[in-house]
Structure formats: C-alpha cells, structure tokens
Amino acid sequence: MKRITVGEAEAGQRLDRLLSRYLKEAPRSFLYKMLRKKNITLNGKRSDGSEKVQSGDEICIFLADDTCEKFAGHSEKRAVSYPVTDLDIIYEDEHVLLVNKPAGMLTQKARPEDVSLNEYLLGYLQKSGQWTEESGQSEEGSVRVNYAFRPSVCNRLDRNTSGIVVCGKSLKGLQKMSELLRNRSMHKDYQCLVSGRITDSRKIRGYLWKDPVANKVCVLAKERKNAAYIETEYRPVRVFADSTLLEVRLITGRSHQIRAHLASKGHPIIGDYKYGSRSVNAFYRKRYGLQSQLLHAWRLELPVLEAPFQAISGKVFQAELPKQMKRIIKEKEEG
C-alpha cells in the first residue's frame, strides 16, 4: 500500500490527473476501475477521480509495492538531472518565477535533443532543492508526489527575442499565469529598434497568415481563410536619423506578430533575418556583430490578484535591455 500526501504544489488538480502522473504507465481504465473498487481512496472515501485535491489530502493506493513501482515507471527510468545555467531572475516566490531570457535561447525545445529555458528552469529548481522529479518517502511510509507536477514556462518568446518569460513553479502558479496570458489581463510591452523614422503613435490592424512550408507568416490587409486577426499598438521612444526605438504592446498575441506587422508597414526590426532588410542587417552585423533581432520583452504589468498572489498583485516588472542593444542605442543618441 502507498500513501500519498498532497503537497501545496499539487493542490487544485483533479484526482485522476494526479494519479495518471504518479502512475504514468497505468491505463486510465485501470485507474478508474481501482477507484470504483476502492483500491484507491481519497481521504478514506470512494472517489470517481473528478475531485480536486487540496494540500494535506491523503490518497491511499491499495496495490502491491512492486505494482506501484511498475506503473510509476521507476523500474525502467532513472531520475533525470536537468542542465544548469545562470538565469537572470527578475522575481521569484513559491508560485511564480520571472526570467529575463537572453536572445539565442529557446523558450521550449522544438526537438528532443534541444536544451531550452524550460530545462534550465527545472535544473535551477532541482539544484536549489525546490523541486525533484523523484518522490521522497518518509519514515511513516507517506509519499509526497513532488514529481506529479512539473514546473514550466507559461509564455513563449522566439529564440532570438530576449526579455521576460513567466514561469509557474507550482500548479496554482502555472494555472493562474496561463489564465492571465489567455484572457490578456496581463500586459506585456516590448521595445525594439526598427528601420526608418516613426514620429507618431499608432494602432495597426491586419490579418496574419502562416505559410507552414516556409515557417513564415505574412500580413494581409483583408480577411482570408486560415488568417488570424491581429492588432498591434506602438509609440516612438527615440527617433534617430535612420531608425526608431519603439515601445510595442500586443493587443492580440500571434506568432511573429510584432516582427511581421512592423515589417509590413515598412519598418522591419533591425537584425531580423526572416522579415527584415538584408542590406540593413548586413550593416549591423558587420559593425556590431549583430546576430539577432533587436526585440526585447521589457515590461510586464499584472492585474489585481487575490491570495496566494498578493505579492505580485498589481505589480509592474521590467527586464533590463541586452548590452548589445543598449550599446547600439547609446551610439545613436550620441550621434
């Protein structure tokens, strides 16, 4: 028999989902059968799996230890050690972590062999003892299922875009931050250096259509099948002789939206090798060694939140611009 004590990080999820993570090799039909037969109980009572567990709840699994180990996959899989790197952490509490991602780092892996911010997040939490993929067993035989929940990034930035990435350390944190991103009550502002002079603030609209073969999007003036409506707002922060530093806010959030939308208006982001100007990019690469677009998610504004998110309720966070971007802007300001 195994006894699981639900921790704070696991609270709020459905019982059947927690069980399917703990006994990840067991078929769902088997888990529901065990629930019906009271071979798995929640706080000593029969359950159907739809109940949402709370911190301190006790789940008892009346199966042989070797059966539990088999369905948990422990006999075949060893604990994973995640990679560690220096993360520029802007803010951290028990539920949420904000990271200033550098350009060149993937937010999430695209291929099995990739290493992304998501893996570095797990490595950081693993090294600091805040999370482990393996369960720990107490003297009383009570198992805390730390690995039933896996911390994760909540929003994505392109590999060559730098700036704030929101991460959920607990299930509550991941669910709440994902909800705020989904309903757009969390505001994200970007700064970018674009070609050409822009002197007026504007709100621009269009339709974004993705070419899956070229892995590229294009902006259309009129609606088209499979094209998504987009809206982008920007204001000039600094206007130089041949370029402009813009502050941009996404009203809608689509892949490559800022890059493609600004390029469609004749003001591509400098260093953007997919949507930008070849000649302009060649100049900046030769002069500054620029390898990525000068686009940075610099500001995050959170709405008023209830417990347990009082610490970040209504707060504004900022991520410092990359050194190379600051250097280029400084040279332009100095003439």
Side-chain angles (χ1 to χ4, degrees):
M1 190 267 280
K2 292 290 185 184
R3 182 181 295 112
I4 300 170
T5 303
V6 178
E8 186 67 31
E10 294 83 41
Q13 63 183 303
R14 283 172 55 116
L15 173 61
D16 54 0
R17 290 177 183 171
L18 186 146
L19 288 170
S20 67
R21 287 171 178 152
Y22 177 50
L23 302 174
K24 52 183 175 290
E25 303 298 331
R28 277 290 183 99
S29 58
F30 173 80
L31 295 178
Y32 290 128
K33 181 180 179 180
M34 293 301 99
L35 287 166
R36 287 196 305 271
K37 297 179 69 174
K38 288 189 71 174
N39 286 337
I40 300 177
T41 62
L42 175 63
N43 296 324
K45 298 178 181 179
R46 186 195 303 271
S47 302
D48 64 13
S50 64
E51 298 85 355
K52 290 195 174 181
V53 298
Q54 302 302 319
S55 178
D57 280 354
E58 186 176 85
I59 302 165
C60 289
I61 303 175
F62 297 96
L63 298 172
D65 288 350
D66 58 347
T67 302
C68 287
E69 292 296 309
K70 174 187 174 183
F71 283 137
H74 291 171
S75 59
E76 301 176 0
K77 185 178 178 181
R78 300 177 62 185
V80 176
S81 181
Y82 289 92
V84 176
T85 191
D86 291 331
L87 294 177
D88 183 2
I89 297 174
I90 300 168
Y91 173 81
E92 180 179 7
D93 62 28
E94 63 178 311
H95 297 293
V96 177
L97 185 144
L98 306 179
V99 181
N100 185 6
K101 183 189 83 70
M105 180 186 289
L106 285 168
T107 306
Q108 292 181 308
K109 60 168 63 181
R111 299 169 299 177
E113 64 270 23
D114 289 338
V115 178
S116 70
L117 175 59
N118 213 60
E119 284 69 56
Y120 289 130
L121 168 69
L122 295 174
Y124 163 73
L125 296 175
Q126 198 175 55
K127 184 179 179 181
S128 60
Q130 299 183 67
W131 174 81
T132 175
E133 196 167 40
E134 288 299 312
S135 63
Q137 187 157 351
S138 70
E139 295 179 358
E140 296 78 22
S142 175
V143 177
R144 179 178 294 279
V145 193
N146 291 322
Y147 63 86
F149 166 75
R150 179 172 291 183
S152 175
V153 299
C154 301
N155 65 302
R156 290 190 182 190
L157 293 179
D158 294 337
R159 179 199 286 265
N160 290 321
T161 298
S162 57
I164 301 176
V165 175
V166 182
C167 308
K169 286 177 58 178
S170 69
L171 180 65
K172 285 183 180 179
L174 183 61
Q175 289 176 334
K176 175 55 69 173
M177 295 302 105
S178 298
E179 175 192 332
L180 297 180
L181 287 161
R182 192 167 51 250
N183 63 27
R184 310 207 66 79
S185 57
M186 176 192 295
H187 298 300
K188 295 181 295 175
D189 295 318
Y190 296 74
Q191 287 195 356
C192 58
L193 191 65
V194 302
S195 294
R197 292 169 54 87
I198 300 177
T199 56
D200 298 321
S201 298
R202 287 189 63 191
K203 184 180 288 186
I204 54 178
R205 301 170 177 84
Y207 295 88
L208 201 69
W209 180 80
K210 184 174 183 179
D211 182 346
V213 177
N215 189 28
K216 194 173 180 179
V217 301
C218 63
V219 177
L220 311 172
K222 296 182 179 180
E223 189 172 4
R224 172 181 168 177
K225 184 180 179 180
N226 297 326
Y229 175 76
I230 58 172
E231 197 169 344
T232 310
E233 190 174 17
Y234 64 75
R235 70 176 186 88
V237 180
R238 298 278 192 280
V239 182
F240 306 112
D242 60 353
S243 56
T244 305
L245 177 64
L246 288 182
E247 183 176 306
V248 182
R249 173 168 290 190
L250 290 173
I251 309 302
T252 58
R254 309 291 183 185
S255 179
H256 297 186
Q257 179 177 324
I258 294 175
R259 297 164 60 190
H261 215 172
L262 291 173
S264 73
K265 299 299 181 181
H267 297 288
I269 296 173
I270 293 170
D272 188 342
Y273 293 93
K274 180 166 284 191
Y275 301 101
S277 163
R278 288 189 178 183
S279 59
V280 171
N281 292 339
F283 170 81
Y284 280 86
R285 174 181 280 179
K286 182 177 180 180
R287 179 159 181 171
Y288 300 102
L290 186 63
Q291 299 292 325
S292 58
Q293 62 257 14
L294 296 176
L295 175 62
H296 181 72
W298 81 285
R299 186 176 183 273
L300 184 73
E301 182 180 344
L302 292 155
V304 174
L305 300 170
E306 298 178 349
F309 303 103
Q310 305 97 316
I312 57 174
S313 177
K315 293 289 183 67
V316 174
F317 297 93
Q318 294 184 5
E320 187 176 0
L321 292 175
K323 291 181 180 179
Q324 189 176 44
M325 189 169 178
K326 288 197 292 185
R327 177 193 166 199
I328 294 172
I329 292 170
K330 184 178 179 182
E331 283 194 17
K332 287 182 173 294
E333 289 175 335
E334 293 174 348

